[in-house]
mmCIF file of all heavy atoms in Angstrom:
data_model
loop_
_atom_site.group_PDB
_atom_site.id
_atom_site.type_symbol
_atom_site.label_atom_id
_atom_site.label_comp_id
_atom_site.label_asym_id
_atom_site.label_seq_id
_atom_site.Cartn_x
_atom_site.Cartn_y
_atom_site.Cartn_z
ATOM 1 N N GLN A 1380 0.822 -1.202 0.000
ATOM 2 C CA GLN A 1380 0.000 0.000 0.000
ATOM 3 C C GLN A 1380 0.862 1.260 0.000
ATOM 4 O O GLN A 1380 0.563 2.241 -0.693
ATOM 5 C CB GLN A 1380 -0.938 -0.001 1.216
ATOM 6 C CG GLN A 1380 -1.807 1.241 1.342
ATOM 7 C CD GLN A 1380 -2.702 1.454 0.136
ATOM 8 O OE1 GLN A 1380 -3.209 0.491 -0.438
ATOM 9 N NE2 GLN A 1380 -2.900 2.709 -0.253
ATOM 10 N N LYS A 1381 1.954 1.222 0.738
ATOM 11 C CA LYS A 1381 2.844 2.381 0.777
ATOM 12 C C LYS A 1381 3.546 2.576 -0.570
ATOM 13 O O LYS A 1381 3.777 3.718 -1.002
ATOM 14 C CB LYS A 1381 3.853 2.219 1.913
ATOM 15 C CG LYS A 1381 3.204 2.294 3.290
ATOM 16 C CD LYS A 1381 4.211 2.035 4.393
ATOM 17 C CE LYS A 1381 3.529 2.074 5.760
ATOM 18 N NZ LYS A 1381 4.451 1.760 6.865
ATOM 19 N N LEU A 1382 3.890 1.484 -1.216
ATOM 20 C CA LEU A 1382 4.470 1.604 -2.554
ATOM 21 C C LEU A 1382 3.452 2.177 -3.533
ATOM 22 O O LEU A 1382 3.805 3.001 -4.393
ATOM 23 C CB LEU A 1382 4.962 0.244 -3.036
ATOM 24 C CG LEU A 1382 6.162 -0.368 -2.299
ATOM 25 C CD1 LEU A 1382 6.500 -1.736 -2.875
ATOM 26 C CD2 LEU A 1382 7.378 0.556 -2.368
ATOM 27 N N GLU A 1383 2.198 1.757 -3.402
ATOM 28 C CA GLU A 1383 1.136 2.313 -4.262
ATOM 29 C C GLU A 1383 1.006 3.816 -4.042
ATOM 30 O O GLU A 1383 0.843 4.590 -5.000
ATOM 31 C CB GLU A 1383 -0.198 1.625 -3.962
ATOM 32 C CG GLU A 1383 -0.257 0.161 -4.351
ATOM 33 C CD GLU A 1383 -0.470 -0.044 -5.839
ATOM 34 O OE1 GLU A 1383 -0.527 0.952 -6.578
ATOM 35 O OE2 GLU A 1383 -0.581 -1.222 -6.259
ATOM 36 N N GLU A 1384 1.075 4.239 -2.794
ATOM 37 C CA GLU A 1384 1.000 5.665 -2.479
ATOM 38 C C GLU A 1384 2.187 6.409 -3.083
ATOM 39 O O GLU A 1384 2.051 7.557 -3.540
ATOM 40 C CB GLU A 1384 0.939 5.860 -0.963
ATOM 41 C CG GLU A 1384 -0.348 5.340 -0.339
ATOM 42 C CD GLU A 1384 -0.281 5.313 1.178
ATOM 43 O OE1 GLU A 1384 0.784 5.678 1.738
ATOM 44 O OE2 GLU A 1384 -1.284 4.922 1.823
ATOM 45 N N GLY A 1385 3.354 5.758 -3.092
ATOM 46 C CA GLY A 1385 4.522 6.370 -3.716
ATOM 47 C C GLY A 1385 4.343 6.556 -5.205
ATOM 48 O O GLY A 1385 4.728 7.600 -5.769
ATOM 49 N N MET A 1386 3.741 5.591 -5.864
ATOM 50 C CA MET A 1386 3.475 5.719 -7.295
ATOM 51 C C MET A 1386 2.488 6.845 -7.571
ATOM 52 O O MET A 1386 2.643 7.603 -8.540
ATOM 53 C CB MET A 1386 2.937 4.400 -7.839
ATOM 54 C CG MET A 1386 3.965 3.293 -7.925
ATOM 55 S SD MET A 1386 5.312 3.640 -9.070
ATOM 56 C CE MET A 1386 4.452 3.586 -10.645
ATOM 57 N N GLU A 1387 1.497 6.990 -6.712
ATOM 58 C CA GLU A 1387 0.526 8.065 -6.878
ATOM 59 C C GLU A 1387 1.187 9.426 -6.676
ATOM 60 O O GLU A 1387 0.900 10.383 -7.408
ATOM 61 C CB GLU A 1387 -0.628 7.885 -5.891
ATOM 62 C CG GLU A 1387 -1.710 8.946 -5.976
ATOM 63 C CD GLU A 1387 -2.375 9.005 -7.330
ATOM 64 O OE1 GLU A 1387 -2.444 7.968 -8.028
ATOM 65 O OE2 GLU A 1387 -2.836 10.104 -7.725
ATOM 66 N N LYS A 1388 2.088 9.486 -5.699
ATOM 67 C CA LYS A 1388 2.810 10.748 -5.468
ATOM 68 C C LYS A 1388 3.656 11.118 -6.683
ATOM 69 O O LYS A 1388 3.692 12.285 -7.098
ATOM 70 C CB LYS A 1388 3.699 10.624 -4.230
ATOM 71 C CG LYS A 1388 4.487 11.882 -3.920
ATOM 72 C CD LYS A 1388 5.258 11.764 -2.608
ATOM 73 C CE LYS A 1388 6.388 10.788 -2.697
ATOM 74 N NZ LYS A 1388 7.247 10.802 -1.468
ATOM 75 N N ALA A 1389 4.316 10.138 -7.265
ATOM 76 C CA ALA A 1389 5.133 10.399 -8.448
ATOM 77 C C ALA A 1389 4.272 10.893 -9.602
ATOM 78 O O ALA A 1389 4.652 11.807 -10.338
ATOM 79 C CB ALA A 1389 5.881 9.132 -8.850
ATOM 80 N N LYS A 1390 3.095 10.296 -9.742
ATOM 81 C CA LYS A 1390 2.179 10.710 -10.801
ATOM 82 C C LYS A 1390 1.771 12.159 -10.626
ATOM 83 O O LYS A 1390 1.749 12.938 -11.595
ATOM 84 C CB LYS A 1390 0.948 9.802 -10.796
ATOM 85 C CG LYS A 1390 -0.074 10.128 -11.872
ATOM 86 C CD LYS A 1390 -1.250 9.164 -11.807
ATOM 87 C CE LYS A 1390 -2.295 9.483 -12.868
ATOM 88 N NZ LYS A 1390 -3.457 8.556 -12.791
ATOM 89 N N GLN A 1391 1.460 12.552 -9.394
ATOM 90 C CA GLN A 1391 1.071 13.931 -9.117
ATOM 91 C C GLN A 1391 2.217 14.908 -9.383
ATOM 92 O O GLN A 1391 1.982 16.054 -9.754
ATOM 93 C CB GLN A 1391 0.595 14.049 -7.674
ATOM 94 C CG GLN A 1391 -0.692 13.272 -7.388
ATOM 95 C CD GLN A 1391 -1.058 13.290 -5.921
ATOM 96 O OE1 GLN A 1391 -0.339 13.862 -5.091
ATOM 97 N NE2 GLN A 1391 -2.184 12.665 -5.577
ATOM 98 N N GLN A 1392 3.446 14.447 -9.187
ATOM 99 C CA GLN A 1392 4.609 15.300 -9.401
ATOM 100 C C GLN A 1392 5.092 15.264 -10.850
ATOM 101 O O GLN A 1392 6.050 15.952 -11.199
ATOM 102 C CB GLN A 1392 5.747 14.865 -8.471
ATOM 103 C CG GLN A 1392 5.440 15.064 -6.996
ATOM 104 C CD GLN A 1392 6.539 14.507 -6.099
ATOM 105 O OE1 GLN A 1392 7.393 13.745 -6.533
ATOM 106 N NE2 GLN A 1392 6.509 14.895 -4.830
ATOM 107 N N GLY A 1393 4.446 14.465 -11.671
ATOM 108 C CA GLY A 1393 4.836 14.376 -13.073
ATOM 109 C C GLY A 1393 6.115 13.602 -13.310
ATOM 110 O O GLY A 1393 6.811 13.829 -14.309
ATOM 111 N N ILE A 1394 6.436 12.678 -12.398
ATOM 112 C CA ILE A 1394 7.655 11.885 -12.519
ATOM 113 C C ILE A 1394 7.314 10.497 -13.061
ATOM 114 O O ILE A 1394 6.427 9.813 -12.545
ATOM 115 C CB ILE A 1394 8.361 11.739 -11.156
ATOM 116 C CG1 ILE A 1394 8.746 13.107 -10.606
ATOM 117 C CG2 ILE A 1394 9.595 10.853 -11.278
ATOM 118 C CD1 ILE A 1394 9.320 13.069 -9.202
ATOM 119 N N ARG A 1395 8.001 10.082 -14.086
ATOM 120 C CA ARG A 1395 7.814 8.748 -14.638
ATOM 121 C C ARG A 1395 8.737 7.781 -13.900
ATOM 122 O O ARG A 1395 9.953 7.816 -14.056
ATOM 123 C CB ARG A 1395 8.138 8.734 -16.129
ATOM 124 C CG ARG A 1395 7.937 7.364 -16.780
ATOM 125 C CD ARG A 1395 8.508 7.347 -18.179
ATOM 126 N NE ARG A 1395 8.305 6.048 -18.827
ATOM 127 C CZ ARG A 1395 8.904 5.665 -19.940
ATOM 128 N NH1 ARG A 1395 9.748 6.511 -20.545
ATOM 129 N NH2 ARG A 1395 8.682 4.473 -20.460
ATOM 130 N N VAL A 1396 8.172 6.912 -13.088
ATOM 131 C CA VAL A 1396 8.963 5.955 -12.323
ATOM 132 C C VAL A 1396 9.312 4.768 -13.207
ATOM 133 O O VAL A 1396 8.447 4.163 -13.834
ATOM 134 C CB VAL A 1396 8.197 5.471 -11.061
ATOM 135 C CG1 VAL A 1396 8.995 4.395 -10.338
ATOM 136 C CG2 VAL A 1396 7.904 6.642 -10.138
ATOM 137 N N LYS A 1397 10.616 4.442 -13.248
ATOM 138 C CA LYS A 1397 11.069 3.323 -14.072
ATOM 139 C C LYS A 1397 11.603 2.159 -13.248
ATOM 140 O O LYS A 1397 11.760 1.048 -13.794
ATOM 141 C CB LYS A 1397 12.185 3.799 -15.022
ATOM 142 C CG LYS A 1397 11.697 4.708 -16.134
ATOM 143 C CD LYS A 1397 10.844 3.957 -17.137
ATOM 144 C CE LYS A 1397 11.600 2.878 -17.872
ATOM 145 N NZ LYS A 1397 12.636 3.431 -18.795
ATOM 146 N N ALA A 1398 11.921 2.382 -11.965
ATOM 147 C CA ALA A 1398 12.557 1.306 -11.200
ATOM 148 C C ALA A 1398 12.163 1.370 -9.740
ATOM 149 O O ALA A 1398 11.863 2.445 -9.197
ATOM 150 C CB ALA A 1398 14.078 1.386 -11.338
ATOM 151 N N LEU A 1399 12.165 0.217 -9.122
ATOM 152 C CA LEU A 1399 12.022 0.072 -7.670
ATOM 153 C C LEU A 1399 13.355 -0.443 -7.149
ATOM 154 O O LEU A 1399 13.849 -1.484 -7.599
ATOM 155 C CB LEU A 1399 10.908 -0.918 -7.336
ATOM 156 C CG LEU A 1399 10.792 -1.376 -5.877
ATOM 157 C CD1 LEU A 1399 10.429 -0.206 -4.969
ATOM 158 C CD2 LEU A 1399 9.776 -2.513 -5.742
ATOM 159 N N ILE A 1400 13.956 0.286 -6.214
ATOM 160 C CA ILE A 1400 15.243 -0.108 -5.646
ATOM 161 C C ILE A 1400 15.025 -0.559 -4.205
ATOM 162 O O ILE A 1400 14.501 0.190 -3.378
ATOM 163 C CB ILE A 1400 16.263 1.037 -5.696
ATOM 164 C CG1 ILE A 1400 16.537 1.450 -7.152
ATOM 165 C CG2 ILE A 1400 17.562 0.624 -5.013
ATOM 166 C CD1 ILE A 1400 17.535 2.584 -7.295
ATOM 167 N N LEU A 1401 15.436 -1.775 -3.924
ATOM 168 C CA LEU A 1401 15.324 -2.343 -2.584
ATOM 169 C C LEU A 1401 16.695 -2.815 -2.111
ATOM 170 O O LEU A 1401 17.446 -3.421 -2.887
ATOM 171 C CB LEU A 1401 14.353 -3.523 -2.569
ATOM 172 C CG LEU A 1401 12.895 -3.240 -2.935
ATOM 173 C CD1 LEU A 1401 12.105 -4.540 -2.986
ATOM 174 C CD2 LEU A 1401 12.266 -2.269 -1.935
ATOM 175 N N ILE A 1402 17.008 -2.531 -0.856
ATOM 176 C CA ILE A 1402 18.230 -3.022 -0.222
ATOM 177 C C ILE A 1402 17.809 -4.104 0.768
ATOM 178 O O ILE A 1402 16.987 -3.855 1.648
ATOM 179 C CB ILE A 1402 18.978 -1.899 0.516
ATOM 180 C CG1 ILE A 1402 19.215 -0.714 -0.414
ATOM 181 C CG2 ILE A 1402 20.297 -2.404 1.082
ATOM 182 C CD1 ILE A 1402 19.742 0.518 0.292
ATOM 183 N N ASN A 1403 18.350 -5.279 0.614
ATOM 184 C CA ASN A 1403 17.950 -6.406 1.458
ATOM 185 C C ASN A 1403 19.175 -7.251 1.809
ATOM 186 O O ASN A 1403 19.803 -7.815 0.908
ATOM 187 C CB ASN A 1403 16.911 -7.270 0.729
ATOM 188 C CG ASN A 1403 16.359 -8.385 1.586
ATOM 189 O OD1 ASN A 1403 16.217 -8.244 2.791
ATOM 190 N ND2 ASN A 1403 16.049 -9.516 0.971
ATOM 191 N N PRO A 1404 19.551 -7.318 3.105
ATOM 192 C CA PRO A 1404 18.977 -6.645 4.277
ATOM 193 C C PRO A 1404 19.008 -5.131 4.123
ATOM 194 O O PRO A 1404 19.927 -4.577 3.536
ATOM 195 C CB PRO A 1404 19.874 -7.097 5.429
ATOM 196 C CG PRO A 1404 20.505 -8.370 4.960
ATOM 197 C CD PRO A 1404 20.678 -8.204 3.485
ATOM 198 N N GLN A 1405 18.007 -4.502 4.705
ATOM 199 C CA GLN A 1405 17.800 -3.074 4.502
ATOM 200 C C GLN A 1405 18.862 -2.251 5.244
ATOM 201 O O GLN A 1405 19.241 -2.563 6.368
ATOM 202 C CB GLN A 1405 16.399 -2.688 4.995
ATOM 203 C CG GLN A 1405 15.725 -1.610 4.181
ATOM 204 C CD GLN A 1405 16.135 -0.199 4.599
ATOM 205 O OE1 GLN A 1405 16.823 -0.005 5.588
ATOM 206 N NE2 GLN A 1405 15.676 0.797 3.860
ATOM 207 N N ASN A 1406 19.326 -1.215 4.582
ATOM 208 C CA ASN A 1406 20.287 -0.281 5.168
ATOM 209 C C ASN A 1406 19.644 1.103 5.198
ATOM 210 O O ASN A 1406 19.275 1.619 4.143
ATOM 211 C CB ASN A 1406 21.558 -0.236 4.317
ATOM 212 C CG ASN A 1406 22.582 0.770 4.815
ATOM 213 O OD1 ASN A 1406 22.549 1.201 5.960
ATOM 214 N ND2 ASN A 1406 23.517 1.123 3.950
ATOM 215 N N PRO A 1407 19.421 1.685 6.403
ATOM 216 C CA PRO A 1407 20.029 1.382 7.695
ATOM 217 C C PRO A 1407 19.169 0.576 8.671
ATOM 218 O O PRO A 1407 19.598 0.352 9.804
ATOM 219 C CB PRO A 1407 20.245 2.776 8.273
ATOM 220 C CG PRO A 1407 19.017 3.522 7.821
ATOM 221 C CD PRO A 1407 18.737 3.009 6.421
ATOM 222 N N LEU A 1408 17.964 0.184 8.293
ATOM 223 C CA LEU A 1408 17.053 -0.430 9.258
ATOM 224 C C LEU A 1408 17.537 -1.786 9.752
ATOM 225 O O LEU A 1408 17.236 -2.190 10.869
ATOM 226 C CB LEU A 1408 15.664 -0.587 8.642
ATOM 227 C CG LEU A 1408 14.930 0.699 8.263
ATOM 228 C CD1 LEU A 1408 13.599 0.367 7.598
ATOM 229 C CD2 LEU A 1408 14.710 1.579 9.484
ATOM 230 N N GLY A 1409 18.257 -2.512 8.905
ATOM 231 C CA GLY A 1409 18.693 -3.843 9.289
ATOM 232 C C GLY A 1409 17.628 -4.902 9.108
ATOM 233 O O GLY A 1409 17.823 -6.059 9.477
ATOM 234 N N GLU A 1410 16.491 -4.539 8.545
ATOM 235 C CA GLU A 1410 15.405 -5.495 8.356
ATOM 236 C C GLU A 1410 15.724 -6.452 7.211
ATOM 237 O O GLU A 1410 16.266 -6.064 6.179
ATOM 238 C CB GLU A 1410 14.103 -4.763 8.053
ATOM 239 C CG GLU A 1410 12.921 -5.692 7.815
ATOM 240 C CD GLU A 1410 11.650 -4.956 7.454
ATOM 241 O OE1 GLU A 1410 11.697 -3.718 7.304
ATOM 242 O OE2 GLU A 1410 10.612 -5.613 7.323
ATOM 243 N N VAL A 1411 15.358 -7.720 7.412
ATOM 244 C CA VAL A 1411 15.460 -8.720 6.361
ATOM 245 C C VAL A 1411 14.059 -8.949 5.809
ATOM 246 O O VAL A 1411 13.138 -9.309 6.541
ATOM 247 C CB VAL A 1411 16.045 -10.037 6.895
ATOM 248 C CG1 VAL A 1411 15.993 -11.114 5.825
ATOM 249 C CG2 VAL A 1411 17.489 -9.827 7.361
ATOM 250 N N TYR A 1412 13.889 -8.727 4.519
ATOM 251 C CA TYR A 1412 12.570 -8.876 3.917
ATOM 252 C C TYR A 1412 12.171 -10.351 3.855
ATOM 253 O O TYR A 1412 12.968 -11.209 3.459
ATOM 254 C CB TYR A 1412 12.546 -8.281 2.512
ATOM 255 C CG TYR A 1412 12.673 -6.776 2.471
ATOM 256 C CD1 TYR A 1412 13.394 -6.142 1.465
ATOM 257 C CD2 TYR A 1412 12.070 -5.982 3.442
ATOM 258 C CE1 TYR A 1412 13.511 -4.751 1.417
ATOM 259 C CE2 TYR A 1412 12.171 -4.603 3.406
ATOM 260 C CZ TYR A 1412 12.894 -3.994 2.402
ATOM 261 O OH TYR A 1412 13.004 -2.620 2.359
ATOM 262 N N SER A 1413 10.942 -10.626 4.199
ATOM 263 C CA SER A 1413 10.431 -11.991 4.149
ATOM 264 C C SER A 1413 10.217 -12.408 2.701
ATOM 265 O O SER A 1413 10.043 -11.556 1.809
ATOM 266 C CB SER A 1413 9.104 -12.082 4.904
ATOM 267 O OG SER A 1413 8.087 -11.380 4.210
ATOM 268 N N PRO A 1414 10.221 -13.719 2.422
ATOM 269 C CA PRO A 1414 9.924 -14.177 1.046
ATOM 270 C C PRO A 1414 8.570 -13.667 0.557
ATOM 271 O O PRO A 1414 8.437 -13.325 -0.624
ATOM 272 C CB PRO A 1414 9.941 -15.702 1.182
ATOM 273 C CG PRO A 1414 10.799 -15.975 2.374
ATOM 274 C CD PRO A 1414 10.570 -14.830 3.310
ATOM 275 N N HIS A 1415 7.587 -13.616 1.454
ATOM 276 C CA HIS A 1415 6.261 -13.141 1.066
ATOM 277 C C HIS A 1415 6.296 -11.680 0.636
ATOM 278 O O HIS A 1415 5.718 -11.311 -0.398
ATOM 279 C CB HIS A 1415 5.285 -13.318 2.224
ATOM 280 C CG HIS A 1415 3.906 -12.800 1.947
ATOM 281 N ND1 HIS A 1415 3.040 -13.410 1.058
ATOM 282 C CD2 HIS A 1415 3.240 -11.686 2.428
ATOM 283 C CE1 HIS A 1415 1.910 -12.727 1.006
ATOM 284 N NE2 HIS A 1415 2.007 -11.681 1.812
ATOM 285 N N LEU A 1416 6.987 -10.830 1.415
ATOM 286 C CA LEU A 1416 7.069 -9.412 1.069
ATOM 287 C C LEU A 1416 7.852 -9.215 -0.228
ATOM 288 O O LEU A 1416 7.477 -8.393 -1.077
ATOM 289 C CB LEU A 1416 7.713 -8.622 2.204
ATOM 290 C CG LEU A 1416 7.892 -7.121 1.959
ATOM 291 C CD1 LEU A 1416 6.570 -6.450 1.657
ATOM 292 C CD2 LEU A 1416 8.569 -6.454 3.162
#
């Protein structure tokens, strides 16, 4: 849902999003993304 909100924000700003960048394990949070996520 938060990613969807990010896409909507980009649309409102007139930005064409071409990529999703994920760091896993996440830096700086240290979170490890689950297979489901």
Side-chain angles (χ1 to χ4, degrees):
Q1380 178 59 37
K1381 292 176 182 177
L1382 292 178
E1383 293 282 2
E1384 293 170 359
M1386 289 296 292
E1387 180 60 29
K1388 180 175 69 173
K1390 181 179 179 181
Q1391 294 174 359
Q1392 295 175 345
I1394 300 174
R1395 181 190 181 193
V1396 176
K1397 289 291 296 292
L1399 169 65
I1400 298 180
L1401 297 175
I1402 307 171
N1403 185 33
Q1405 215 276 353
N1406 177 19
L1408 296 177
E1410 179 183 4
V1411 173
Y1412 292 143
S1413 69
H1415 177 70
L1416 179 58

